[in-house]
Amino acid sequence: MEQFEVVGGTRLAGEATVAGAKNSVLKVMAASLLATGTTRLTNVPDIGDVPIMGEVLGGLGATVDGDAPDIAITVPDEIGYEADYHHVSRIRGSVCVLGPLLARAGRARVAMPGGDAIGSRTLDLHIMGLERLGAVFDTANTHGYLVAEAAQLAGAQIWLDFPSVGATENILMAAVLAKGNTSIDNAAREPEIVDLCEMLIAMGAQIGGVGTSTLEIEGVDSLQPASHRVVADRIVAGTWAFAAGMTQGEIRVRGATHEHLEIALDKLVQAGAVVTTYDDGFAVSCDARPRAVDIVTLPYPGFPTDLQPMAIAMNSVADGVAFVTENIFEGRFMFIDELARLGADVRTDGHHAIVRGRERLSGAPVRATDIRAGAALVLAGVVADGVTTIADAFHVDRGYQSFVETLQALGANIRRVEDSTLL
Ligand code: UD1
């Protein structure tokens, strides 16, 4: 097991280049199952989740060739239908093979992903939507698996109680090959959903309302493989934006789409940073202690839950008191106990947190509980006095390409070391 060791007290300055989005690449990899032949993906991030998703696809009969940033996925005429627990429990995102399997194989046996450190993530909306399309779920003796069959999917009108990203994706990937028309109301409209729609359209799917909360899908008989460039990772880009804000630094982020981060960048402006936008990204600079900013997480285009830990970390060294409300995942405050080990003054009540900014944090050993919490704790370590170690580095490696190297290039004193407490 590896951990990050950070010696705090540095200002981060320089450039960071962002690759394709984790939350998009996993879905477009799953979408490749919808067509026989070779799909080519570019701007694929070099992160831990991609080879695991490759193994999931391999288990279904596909072949994944090449390495990030370019991979090719070759899908045979007949595909398997089972995604096992070993893989699905490692990346919950792999549950997005459910829709493609029902559409292509007419049946699916996908392990239930199980618990998660950011809170309960039920699949009721995925199941409801797929049932509306005609899938029949087995509920008895399924031994921890979602088991479903669909001789022929048929278009339907579907309303989502909540604009779930994963449910929208699974329903969408099933509906593109269903017979007739489907509409998904209150659909999620994250940039990663738009990216998936663009890939499906390139494969021959008929989708209207892309980027809105009503998706209209006209089912087609078959799809062809396509070439697709994965959309930039707005959460990684946003991480570097908060890194500049909280270290009173200056970071030029390349390869990002600033329009996907409007609220997050505006929060940095409210905190006192200067944000400059460019065609290929943006720059954030902050020459004084940031001011506290209130945050409310919401589905896109609201403030992303995945950047909430970075916002709390910045507020923990900001001037003033911030009120942070987490509306998406109830367990997302779990990392606050770790941040408190660095001296952060954060009190929570349910899904609300009050963050009282401190002049400085003080280095201590902490543990990453998930990808984003891990990245936020590293940033907190960069502004803390002394040495901070962040255990369970693998969480961060699941979603951040060249994380340590990027931070080193920005001036951070960070290295990757073996976790000696485990030796
Ligand atoms: C995706 C992202 C994750 C991001 C999240 C919200 C991936 C791999 N992960 O997760 O990084 O934080 O979107 O932007 O893309 N819910 C239900 N029933 C369902 C499905 C979801 O109640 O059937 C609830 C969840 O418990 C949660 C909320 O809806 O409270 C949001 O979940 P969802 O949008 O589905 O997130 P994911 O797709 O799991």
Side-chain angles (χ1 to χ4, degrees), residues 22-24 26-27 92-94 118-127 162-167 169 188 190 192 234 298-300 304-306 327-330 332 372:
K22 172 184 90 70
N23 288 351
S24 184
L26 302 178
K27 321 308 169 58
R92 288 193 53 106
S94 59
I118 62 173
S120 127
R121 290 165 98 172
T122 53
L123 297 170
D124 56 331
L125 298 172
H126 300 238
I127 294 169
F162 182 88
S164 153
V165 170
E169 291 162 342
E190 271 66 6
E192 296 76 28
R234 66 194 162 99
L298 282 172
Y300 189 83
T305 176
D306 287 353
N327 288 315
I328 313 293
F329 289 114
E330 78 276 8
R332 265 253 143 100
R372 311 302 168 191

Side-chain angles (χ1 to χ4, degrees), residues 1 21 45 72 104 108 139 149 166 192 219 221 242 254 317 322 357 365 368:
M1 287 296 223
R104 256 320 280 300
T139 47
E149 279 192 5
E192 296 76 28
D221 290 340
F242 277 97
R254 290 189 190 274
V317 290

Side-chain angles (χ1 to χ4, degrees), residues 175-221:
V176 288
L177 284 179
K179 207 170 181 53
N181 297 337
T182 297
S183 72
I184 312 175
D185 265 318
N186 200 23
R189 50 196 174 117
E190 271 66 6
E192 296 76 28
I193 304 260
V194 173
D195 200 40
L196 174 61
C197 287
E198 284 172 359
M199 157 102 166
L200 292 169
I201 289 169
M203 293 172 79
Q206 300 287 328
I207 307 171
V210 175
T212 74
S213 49
T214 305
L215 292 172
E216 305 277 358
I217 302 126
E218 195 184 319
V220 295
D221 290 340

Side-chain angles (χ1 to χ4, degrees), residues 50 64-73:
V50 168
V64 183
D65 293 307
D67 295 303
D70 302 314
I71 63 170
I73 304 165

Side-chain angles (χ1 to χ4, degrees), residues 116-119 308 329-339 348 367 369-370 373:
D116 197 306
I118 62 173
Q308 176 260 100
F329 289 114
E330 78 276 8
R332 265 253 143 100
F333 284 160
M334 268 172 57
F335 88 104
I336 287 174
D337 289 343
E338 298 296 311
L339 197 62
T348 59
R367 188 166 292 280
T369 47
D370 70 80

